[in-house]
Amino acid sequence: MAALTEVPGRTSVFKVLKAGQTRPYYVLKRLKKYGTAEHEHAKMRSEIEMMRQVTQMSCPYIVKYVDDEEDAESISVFMEYFSLSLRDLILTRKSRREAFSDREIVHFMVSVAKGLEFLHNLPVPILHRDIKSDNIFLDTERSDCIVKIGDLGECALLNDEINYLSVAGTPGFMDASILQKNPVSVLADGMRLFF
């Protein structure tokens, strides 16, 4: 099991295989309980529950939940694996001085918009609250380039008033209404694809 990213004492993300398999890979996101606050444990459990519910509805634009486990030491979720984020692709293209075609840009934006539309049109709408290029995942090995929204860690149900007014997301990508602690709507899930 090779670590993709690891922040000591917080959430770690790993690329893993199921025992005895050579494919497919999965992402294992793990939160260590020791050294983290109970509200972080509750947030991880909430992310798992939202992912489980969204996966049951089979949205092709949201990263799929596979499994989860919790023990005395950690809370873990297994998800569909993507080797590339939109941010990774942007940085690679920048370094090579390769522009995106209009068709690629439209494909990325339409896929993300369809994912957000799905979340926003659920019986109880879900706000993602952290749409950014790091949380858009790509499968570029296919000719049609699959694009999916991931990282539901900052998500909130739109009927949950405490989350209406809580600041969540990544500074620089947040809607002004969130920063000003004003009530928000699905319009707060605006995004900036290129920085």
Side-chain angles (χ1 to χ4, degrees):
M1 174 166 59
L4 296 175
T5 59
E6 186 163 4
V7 180
R10 298 191 50 79
T11 303
S12 302
V13 180
F14 302 91
K15 175 181 174 181
V16 298
L17 289 169
K18 284 191 175 179
Q21 291 185 333
T22 57
R23 286 236 178 233
Y25 287 107
Y26 297 98
V27 168
L28 166 62
K29 181 176 180 180
R30 176 174 289 152
L31 176 69
K32 295 176 187 174
K33 288 183 176 178
Y34 179 75
T36 56
E38 183 56 41
H39 72 89
E40 291 181 80
H41 306 174
K43 184 175 157 184
M44 181 77 161
R45 290 183 193 108
S46 176
E47 177 180 7
I48 290 169
E49 185 54 34
M50 281 195 203
M51 288 187 71
R52 186 181 296 133
Q53 290 176 12
V54 168
T55 296
Q56 287 174 353
M57 295 178 218
S58 299
C59 178
Y61 303 102
I62 307 292
V63 171
K64 287 184 175 71
Y65 160 90
V66 175
D67 199 3
D68 65 270
E69 57 187 43
E70 182 171 350
D71 58 29
E73 296 178 8
S74 64
I75 304 169
S76 302
V77 61
F78 295 86
M79 300 169 273
E80 182 177 23
Y81 174 75
F82 288 85
S83 61
L84 194 63
S85 72
L86 181 55
R87 183 171 195 268
D88 296 331
L89 184 60
I90 290 168
L91 294 174
T92 299
R93 293 277 185 97
K94 253 184 176 176
S95 71
R96 294 179 185 165
R97 298 184 183 267
E98 294 176 12
F100 287 94
S101 69
D102 291 346
R103 182 180 174 154
E104 288 174 308
I105 293 169
V106 168
H107 178 64
F108 298 151
M109 294 181 78
V110 167
S111 297
V112 172
K114 286 181 177 181
L116 289 174
E117 177 185 40
F118 173 83
L119 293 174
H120 296 165
N121 286 315
L122 291 170
V124 178
I126 295 175
L127 296 178
H128 187 281
R129 303 194 314 171
D130 200 21
I131 292 293
K132 59 185 179 181
S133 58
D134 288 311
N135 293 336
I136 309 299
F137 297 96
L138 311 171
D139 182 352
T140 57
E141 293 178 14
R142 295 174 45 129
S143 60
D144 57 349
C145 183
I146 295 175
V147 179
K148 294 192 179 193
I149 297 171
D151 195 351
L152 303 182
E154 297 296 337
C155 282
L157 299 175
L158 195 54
N159 72 343
D160 189 348
E161 288 193 29
I162 194 162
N163 287 316
Y164 268 116
L165 302 175
S166 62
V167 175
T170 304
F173 294 91
M174 285 190 256
D175 182 78
S177 62
I178 293 172
L179 290 171
Q180 296 165 356
K181 295 189 177 184
N182 293 327
V184 297
S185 71
V186 294
L187 299 176
D189 267 344
M191 67 173 182
R192 192 171 84 177
L193 284 177
F194 298 95
F195 44 87

